[in-house]
Amino acid sequence: MKIISCCKIVPEEQDISVNNDKTLKLDTAGLKISLYDLNALEAGVELAATQEGSTVTALTVGAKVSTSNTKVRKDILSRGADSLAVVGDEALAGILPGETAKIMAGAAKKLGFDLILCGEGSADLYAQQTGLLLGELLGVPTINSVGKITINGSTARVERDLEDEVEIVEVPLPAVLSVTTDINVPKIPSMKAILAASKKPVEEISLADAGYSSAPASTVLSILAPDQADRKREIIEGDSEEQIAAFAANIRKILN
Amino acid sequence: MSKMPIIFVFSDKKDRLPEIIAGALALGEDVCAFVVGTDEDAQYAASLGAGVVYTFAPQQDVMLEDYAPSFSALVAGCGKKAMVLLPPSKRGRALAARMGVQLGAAVANEVTKVEIADSVTVGRMVFGGLASGSEKITSPVCVLTLSSGSFEPAAPDASRKAELKQGAFVPPAIMPKVVGQTPKQGSSVDLCKAKKVLCVGRGFAKKEDLALAENLATVIGAELGCSRPVAEGEGWMERERYIGVSGVMLKADVYFAVGVSGQIQHMVGANGSKVIIAVSKDKNAPIFNFVDYGIVGDLYKVLPGLTSLLK
């Protein structure tokens, strides 16, 4: 079985600070695999282990400055995929899921697949669309919120973890499934896996090879931090009985 | 602000329909509802203000999302600029994405703001709530899932009548089969709706000590929440309770942080609260930049003291 596990390379959210003009300072933030995609990578590797002769290709699409980062590339490959396919281009900075999905669809057709796995959303935009758009663009069944996958020949039996119910669905393959963070616990790569990662093949796919021409239905106008509310900042320094009583008096004012 | 000529609505959850129809009435000239269910469900959509209601008979073993081609056919058939409004549920998102591709339409999830002029501009949270993104939509049709709380829910009025039509099911080319469904115990807590939230952070040395916070929470009538490390690192509380980036975004009257350092990634979830109170022994903790009332002190001393004083 040919499995593609998709992952996005995103800025480390703990490193993001806010500039004076309310824009986000992203250029000094480190890069990492989007948290939710670790589950897609792990699910791919786990499923491949149950299906003899399977391969897992990790696929990442994005601005060259992110996708060319060798440390993150190695991190992706150390999670167990056999190879990595990259579509990286300057033109892809700040694109929305509609465009990402088109590029991924082109790349996936080129790579060939029986099953494509995505995370439930990206850590930056968290639009929770890309996997669903991808499946629909490829004309195959596409299901989100998948908490369990079992392969039976040419069908995947999946459990969808919805708000009020668990739905069990038999999905003919090929298909695109977006998995939840509860589907597995991503393993921390072993030293052996990290060493092996640098020997694994990386395939660069150009936008032209992915058959992509830009025609976005929506574009980002701005990304700005919200205004901070004015706060009273009445702070008592010390925890003597009197100070705790004064603090309690402050709280009582609000509660009543 | 101009209005969208027609807005199509659907909700997989009945309790979200009043809000979505209210949004459609505010943003559109005509409102057309899709209902998968009975005539009674159609009457309900009509009572909320939909002018036209298409009722689809429920299909055996079919995922609700597989109505996407049926809905898309009607949207495409209207021949106007149009908007589709859905709830931000898992099914809502799946329908949105699939209809988006089928209609060549832009898709935006958990939209908090919609502006209609020559084109549609939507606002939504990005970077886990650290910032708000504004997106300009250029396609003639767009599909949005509306963030909860964006519109005041419409009140049902049984005297409202809609034009009732029968919808035809258009199966997708390849259709998965639903083979089982089990209801699950919903999370007992919805912090987004809590008026008071007491949030515990890393300042607690061990899980048993959370009893101190529980006691105070009971006295002041607050729900318990936590910072991300308490839920994900320590596993002391369920994930539904963590506040901040990719967790809960509070709209509480009072947010009370205990032993929380107050990193921006946490505070984006708390800043929507009207009043912020904090206890931390670290005078330089960032949390004190965001508070209305704070005390620099040992939580193991402050919490029992407060609990008895506020009883």
Side-chain angles (χ1 to χ4, degrees):
Chain A
M1 192 163 75
K2 283 188 94 162
I3 301 173
I4 298 175
S5 290
C6 303
C7 57
K8 187 172 187 179
I9 300 172
V10 297
E12 167 64 66
E13 56 258 43
Q14 302 300 330
D15 295 347
I16 301 172
S17 55
V18 178
N19 293 317
N20 287 337
D21 63 356
K22 299 201 289 175
T23 56
L24 300 186
K25 188 165 173 53
L26 299 170
D27 50 351
T28 52
L31 293 169
K32 65 169 188 178
I33 306 169
S34 175
L35 194 63
Y36 311 100
D37 295 339
L38 293 177
N39 300 94
L41 288 166
E42 180 75 23
V45 173
E46 286 181 6
L47 280 176
T50 67
Q51 306 293 310
E52 208 166 319
S54 295
T55 57
V56 181
T57 303
L59 170 64
T60 189
V61 170
K64 206 162 201 153
V65 58
S66 314
T67 57
S68 61
N69 185 293
T70 45
K71 200 168 144 257
V72 186
R73 284 184 173 198
K74 207 173 146 186
D75 189 17
I76 295 170
L77 285 168
S78 72
R79 310 268 164 180
D82 302 294
S83 61
L84 170 65
V86 180
V87 190
D89 196 286
E90 283 324 315
L92 305 186
I95 57 166
L96 287 168
E99 299 305 284
T100 308
K102 283 182 206 161
I103 299 163
M104 287 167 74
K109 277 186 200 155
K110 197 168 175 299
L111 294 167
F113 66 93
D114 299 300
L115 178 64
I116 301 179
L117 299 168
C118 296
E120 71 179 15
S122 62
D124 51 0
L125 298 179
Y126 202 57
Q128 295 181 279
Q129 286 176 30
T130 310
L132 295 158
L133 294 171
L134 174 61
E136 193 66 29
L137 284 167
L138 289 167
V140 301
T142 180
I143 293 181
N144 60 345
S145 211
V146 171
K148 192 177 174 190
I149 307 169
T150 321
I151 306 290
N152 295 316
S154 60
T155 315
R157 185 184 170 93
V158 308
E159 287 185 16
R160 299 183 74 202
D161 195 6
L162 302 171
E163 288 85 0
D164 310 316
E165 63 199 329
V166 175
E167 183 174 65
I168 302 163
V169 188
E170 280 177 1
V171 189
L173 298 176
V176 180
L177 305 176
S178 300
V179 302
T180 65
T181 52
D182 292 321
I183 192 168
N184 53 41
V185 179
K187 284 181 211 61
I188 294 164
S190 65
M191 188 47 82
K192 198 175 149 202
I194 293 168
L195 291 171
S198 42
K199 299 191 186 75
K200 289 180 177 174
V202 177
E203 182 184 354
E204 306 270 357
I205 299 173
S206 69
L207 287 180
D209 284 347
Y212 172 72
S213 59
S214 172
S218 57
T219 49
V220 173
L221 291 175
S222 65
I223 290 181
L224 297 171
D227 288 318
Q228 277 303 331
D230 274 333
R231 298 289 177 187
K232 290 196 179 68
R233 297 187 64 186
E234 287 183 24
I235 297 159
I236 297 165
E237 284 192 42
D239 53 15
S240 70
E241 236 169 77
E242 295 74 34
Q243 285 165 318
I244 294 175
F247 185 52
N250 281 339
I251 294 171
R252 219 175 270 125
K253 273 192 292 195
I254 324 159
L255 294 182
N256 297 331
Chain B
M1 192 165 83
S2 44
K3 281 192 158 189
M4 192 50 79
I6 183 161
I7 298 188
F8 296 86
V9 299
F10 174 76
S11 180
D12 61 304
K13 300 190 184 308
K14 201 176 170 189
D15 60 352
R16 292 302 309 278
L17 196 58
E19 198 176 332
I20 291 165
I21 290 190
L25 290 168
L27 299 167
E29 279 159 17
D30 293 326
V31 177
C32 174
F34 300 136
V35 165
V36 176
T38 61
D39 290 345
E40 200 186 327
D41 298 323
Q43 293 296 348
Y44 179 62
S47 76
L48 293 169
V52 179
V53 182
Y54 281 91
T55 309
F56 295 79
Q59 305 288 313
Q60 188 95 34
D61 307 333
V62 171
M63 283 191 308
L64 209 43
E65 289 87 337
D66 277 332
Y67 285 81
S70 315
F71 298 166
S72 292
L74 290 170
V75 177
C78 83
K80 299 180 200 169
K81 275 179 117 178
M83 181 182 279
V84 181
L85 290 180
L86 301 161
S89 58
K90 310 275 188 194
R91 292 193 193 279
R93 289 167 203 271
L95 274 168
R98 294 181 59 188
M99 290 179 72
V101 172
Q102 288 159 7
L103 293 162
V107 182
N109 274 333
E110 288 218 59
V111 164
T112 54
K113 207 170 79 184
V114 184
E115 277 168 21
I116 300 170
D118 292 338
S119 58
V120 176
T121 308
V122 297
R124 54 181 303 271
M125 298 271 224
V126 292
F127 289 97
L130 204 54
S132 178
S134 175
E135 295 173 12
K136 183 183 173 183
I137 292 170
T138 42
S139 52
V141 178
C142 61
V143 187
L144 312 178
T145 68
L146 265 190
S147 174
S148 164
S150 307
F151 290 93
E152 194 61 38
D157 175 352
S159 70
R160 287 199 187 116
K161 295 288 171 236
E163 188 184 340
L164 301 177
K165 297 185 178 187
Q166 197 63 43
F169 180 66
V170 182
I174 308 164
M175 197 157 58
K177 187 178 175 198
V178 177
V179 293
Q181 244 167 8
T182 37
K184 73 176 188 191
Q185 206 66 40
S187 172
S188 55
V189 60
D190 184 0
L191 284 186
C192 298
K193 292 192 182 120
K195 291 286 168 212
K196 294 174 203 154
V197 175
L198 193 142
C199 175
V200 302
R202 266 292 189 46
F204 287 82
K206 54 183 192 295
K207 191 180 178 184
E208 292 68 44
D209 300 345
L210 298 184
L212 295 173
E214 283 163 21
N215 292 342
L216 179 58
T218 309
V219 167
I220 62 172
E223 280 283 357
L224 275 188
C226 63
S227 65
R228 187 168 181 164
V230 169
E232 293 206 330
E234 305 291 354
W236 289 349
M237 281 197 201
E238 63 254 59
R239 197 175 298 157
E240 285 74 23
R241 289 187 191 263
Y242 97 66
I243 295 160
V245 166
S246 62
V248 179
M249 297 299 205
L250 296 179
K251 295 183 192 96
D253 291 337
V254 179
Y255 163 81
F256 194 142
V258 183
V260 173
S261 65
Q263 296 297 333
I264 182 74
Q265 284 72 18
H266 173 75
M267 292 314 294
V268 295
N271 278 335
S273 309
K274 288 193 188 112
V275 179
I276 296 186
I277 308 173
V279 179
S280 171
K281 67 177 173 194
D282 177 8
K283 187 174 118 186
N284 299 316
I287 185 96
F288 289 121
N289 296 322
F290 302 101
V291 298
D292 292 288
Y293 300 102
I295 186 164
V296 181
D298 182 359
L299 70 92
Y300 288 91
K301 236 176 116 180
V302 175
L303 288 193
L306 276 185
T307 307
S308 62
L309 287 167
L310 295 173
K311 238 175 210 165

